[in-house]
Structures are given as structure tokens and as C-alpha cells.
Amino acid sequence: DKLTEIGRRNLTNIRELEPGESVDLGGTLRITLFRSAEYTNDSAILVEGEGYRVFNETDCKLSYEDLRGIGEKGVDLGFYMFSGANWYPIMYDYPEEDRMRLVRRRRSLLMKSFLQRVKLTRPRVATPAAGPCTVLDPDLLWLNSAQQGIFVDPREAVEAVRSAGLNTEPLVMAASDVWEGGRGFQRRSPDSFLRARSDYIADASRRMAPRILQRRQQEPPAGSDLPRLLEKYFQERVAAQTPAVRKRINARLAFEVTGPMGGSWTIDFCSKGSGFVREGLAPDWTYQVRVEDKLIYPF
């Protein structure tokens, strides 16, 4: 619970702000928080101080009006999401040709959205941030590739800004780099951080491979009670929903568990009776999840 954690840290001067509301923090320091225009519970922040404005949208998708309003204020340095950070479509069971087409489309839309938000907020300096993921498992390195993955290299985002001819200086900042109002960008990151992303990932994967293997070997196996626990877990949670919510979800989830204690179940939100979980896969399932038994067992 976040409130409990705040209490443990002895933070007592807590103020909840309305979206778009500004608050002075003393001296020249002033902040404004913005709420996501979508269903995600996220926020962005504009920090003003010492004659400069820094905007960080994190993973918050703001409304057109908020973005335009921030641009009218004037932004010196902006941090923008630019890369995918989930598993669609790369871990979905599409035919290869369809998956590659969806990857190209997703990457194109990510860049288009990134450029539009930079254009609206008009920063003097724009830094791609909030991504991408980096997968170091030797068996899954393909997830990092530009051809098969949606984790965009920040340098690709920088080139997109340059090619678009925006009146903005694009800038890649790595961990430990600094930007100061009076001095601008100061590189503090080691040379290894500036290598091509593919080279950096390949080297990091080689270094991490023994540790990854060790952790896999240490994963405890699933217990023989997995089928009973899984049925009980989903039955209780689906039954706790109102009929209206279950109707709105309107799904038959095909749940396949691989491994020695695995099996298959259908979690049926559309069930007319009180039994929402049954063994085996319904022929008319609407969504399918496949997971290893030892990964689902702890839940």
C-alpha cells in the first residue's frame, strides 16, 4: 500500500494536486502535474526553476490540449517516451509474416507519436526516455532487434527528429549524464554506453549468461497442487465480479500451462452458471495464454 509506505518514510506534508494545477516549492521552484488522457493511471511533470523549464512525460499520454499548453509555456529540456515496452506483437502467436508486418507498423506508429508530441511541446532540447526494454537472455536476444522487436534504439528517435526538420535539438542522454541550465549537456557516462546498442547488448548478454543460467536452475518446480490452486484462484476472482462486469469482459480465456504439472483450462466469463473454470480448452476461446508451470505456481 503506497500510503503505508509514505507513512514509513515519515512524509507528512502531502498534498494531492488536481491535473494541471501548479504549486510553488520555494525560491524559483515550481511544478505542475498532468494526468493521462487515457485509462492508464499515470502522470507527467513540468518543473520550472532558475529561469528554465524541464518537462518529463514519463509513460503518460497527455491530451492534445495539455501538450499544446506546455508548448506555449516554452520548454528548455523535454523527456519523451518513444519505444514500445510490452510484448505486442512480438510474443503473440501470429504467423511470421503477420508478426513482422505488425512490428513494422508498431515501430512506425511509435515514431509518429513521439514526433507529434515533440512538435506540440516545442522543447529546445528533446531527449528520448522511458524505454526501451533490454533482454539479455541468450535465447531471447532476437527481441532486441529492429527487425523483430519494438524496443526502439534512442538514436533512431534522435534521427527521426533531425529528419523531421523540427526546431528542436535531439539529444541522447545515458545513465549518469547531466544537463544543467547554464551549461547545457555534460556527458558523464562511460564510453561503453555509447557503443551501438546491438554491440552493447551482445556483450552484456555474454557477461550475464552464467547468472541467468544459475537463476533458471534455482527456480523451484511447481507443486502437484497447481491444478487445484489455479482453478480456485480464477473461480473466486471471476465469481467476485458482477454479472454486468463479466458480460462487459465477454471472454473465454484459454489457459495452457506447460511443464510436468501443467494442463489446460478455460476461464469462462460468459458462463451461464456459477462455474467459471473448467478443465480443457473450449473450442470457441477468445484469448489464449501459454505459460510454464513453475512461473505461474508462485501466483
Side-chain angles (χ1 to χ4, degrees):
D1 185 272
K2 292 183 177 180
L3 292 178
T4 302
E5 179 61 25
I6 288 172
R8 289 196 192 101
R9 295 175 181 269
N10 295 318
L11 302 175
T12 57
N13 185 14
I14 301 166
R15 176 179 169 186
E16 185 173 347
L17 300 179
E18 291 297 320
E21 181 183 358
S22 299
V23 61
D24 291 318
L25 298 180
T28 64
L29 187 59
R30 182 180 181 87
I31 65 168
T32 307
L33 298 182
F34 300 89
R35 182 173 59 191
S36 174
E38 296 190 343
Y39 63 89
T40 52
N41 186 18
D42 210 332
S43 60
I45 187 170
L46 179 67
V47 181
E48 303 172 76
E50 301 179 1
Y52 295 93
R53 290 190 180 94
V54 177
F55 170 62
N56 187 358
E57 69 174 359
T58 60
D59 285 329
C60 181
K61 296 182 179 179
L62 298 179
S63 67
Y64 175 85
E65 291 75 17
D66 281 341
L67 290 167
R68 187 176 60 181
I70 291 167
E72 290 172 353
K73 283 178 174 287
V75 173
D76 294 286
L77 174 64
F79 294 93
Y80 300 87
M81 55 184 168
F82 68 101
S83 170
N86 56 34
W87 306 108
Y88 175 81
I90 50 183
M91 294 298 284
Y92 282 64
D93 193 18
Y94 289 110
E96 180 72 10
E97 184 177 340
D98 291 341
R99 188 171 69 250
M100 298 294 281
R101 175 180 54 80
L102 290 169
V103 164
R104 290 192 297 270
R105 181 175 184 272
R106 184 89 192 276
R107 292 176 71 95
S108 174
L109 290 174
L110 286 166
M111 280 298 96
K112 182 178 179 180
S113 175
F114 165 68
L115 290 174
Q116 178 68 5
R117 287 177 279 109
V118 171
K119 183 178 180 179
L120 285 171
T121 51
R122 299 184 292 182
R124 288 199 298 113
V125 178
T127 296
C133 299
T134 300
V135 180
L136 299 183
D137 186 327
D139 295 334
L140 297 173
L141 288 180
W142 62 270
L143 290 170
N144 303 296
S145 74
Q147 293 72 36
Q148 301 185 71
I150 61 163
F151 308 144
V152 180
D153 189 325
R155 289 174 177 79
E156 184 177 334
V158 163
E159 287 305 315
V161 173
R162 290 187 179 133
S163 298
L166 303 182
N167 189 26
T168 293
E169 176 192 349
L171 174 66
V172 171
M173 292 185 69
S176 73
D177 285 341
V178 172
W179 188 91
E180 291 185 358
R183 301 172 61 189
F185 174 66
Q186 299 173 64
R187 180 187 153 203
R188 303 279 179 84
S189 54
D191 291 342
S192 60
F193 285 13
L194 301 180
R195 298 168 60 189
R197 185 167 183 265
S198 58
D199 294 341
Y200 181 91
I201 290 174
D203 180 60
S205 177
R206 283 191 293 269
R207 289 187 282 109
M208 291 296 295
R211 191 182 303 180
I212 292 171
L213 178 61
Q214 182 184 41
R215 290 189 63 175
R216 276 186 170 174
Q217 292 172 340
Q218 291 174 345
E219 290 174 345
S224 59
D225 58 344
L226 173 61
R228 178 182 63 82
L229 292 176
L230 185 144
E231 291 183 17
K232 180 175 183 291
Y233 179 92
F234 283 108
Q235 174 62 30
E236 290 178 351
R237 280 156 180 77
V238 177
Q241 310 306 313
T242 66
V245 168
R246 291 197 294 269
K247 184 178 180 180
R248 179 70 179 270
I249 294 172
N250 191 34
R252 290 184 177 87
L253 171 62
F255 207 88
E256 287 191 79
V257 181
T258 62
M261 300 301 163
S264 59
W265 292 266
T266 298
I267 295 124
D268 188 358
F269 290 83
C270 309
S271 175
K272 301 299 183 183
S274 58
F276 301 104
V277 183
R278 60 180 181 269
E279 194 169 359
L281 301 183
D284 57 346
W285 59 264
T286 53
Y287 196 84
Q288 184 180 44
V289 173
R290 188 178 299 116
V291 63
E292 193 175 359
D293 57 358
K294 65 181 180 180
L295 297 181
I296 193 65
Y297 186 70
F299 296 96

